[in-house]
Amino acid sequence: QFAEGSSYNKALQIYNPGPSTVFLEEVQLLVASNGGTFLTAISNLALEGTELLAESVFTVMHPEVAASWLEHANVTSQALLFNGDDAVAVAVAHKNGSLEVLDR
């Protein structure tokens, strides 16, 4: 789920509906800037070693979000700079080189 408010109030939530813990190091945030069609991976969304417990939510927010949002962040990242005309997707990069888009 993506949330976008004014200014830097931007957030991404990743939900694990499964019965087991998953690791987020293969998760990528992709952005097509200004309504473009080419999705590029935001490389500075570092989730290596991050675990997401079963039936839990992991929240990434821009570090300059409103204080009322920030208290709900698991991690902050400058990577969350998308705006209203940018397409954003969450994808998993598999070891075989394929990319599976989970949400957009």
Side-chain angles (χ1 to χ4, degrees), residues 11-61:
L12 160 69
Q13 288 187 318
I14 302 169
Y15 173 62
N16 175 10
S20 304
T21 298
V22 296
F23 294 90
L24 299 180
E25 63 260 358
E26 296 175 354
V27 172
Q28 294 182 8
L29 180 62
L30 307 174
V31 174
S33 296
N34 300 320
T37 57
F38 182 71
L39 292 174
T40 51
I42 295 176
S43 60
N44 59 346
L45 183 63
L47 299 176
E48 292 83 13
T50 302
E51 294 182 354
L52 180 54
L53 301 175
E55 299 183 14
S56 294
V57 174
F58 185 85
T59 304
V60 182
M61 295 187 186

Side-chain angles (χ1 to χ4, degrees), residues 6-7 12 14 17 32 36 39 54 64 101 104:
S6 61
S7 189
L12 160 69
I14 302 169
L39 292 174
E64 296 180 42
V101 175
R104 57 191 160 131

Side-chain angles (χ1 to χ4, degrees), residues 88-101:
V88 183
V90 176
V92 174
H94 296 286
K95 294 185 187 329
N96 66 7
S98 66
L99 191 65
E100 176 184 5
V101 175

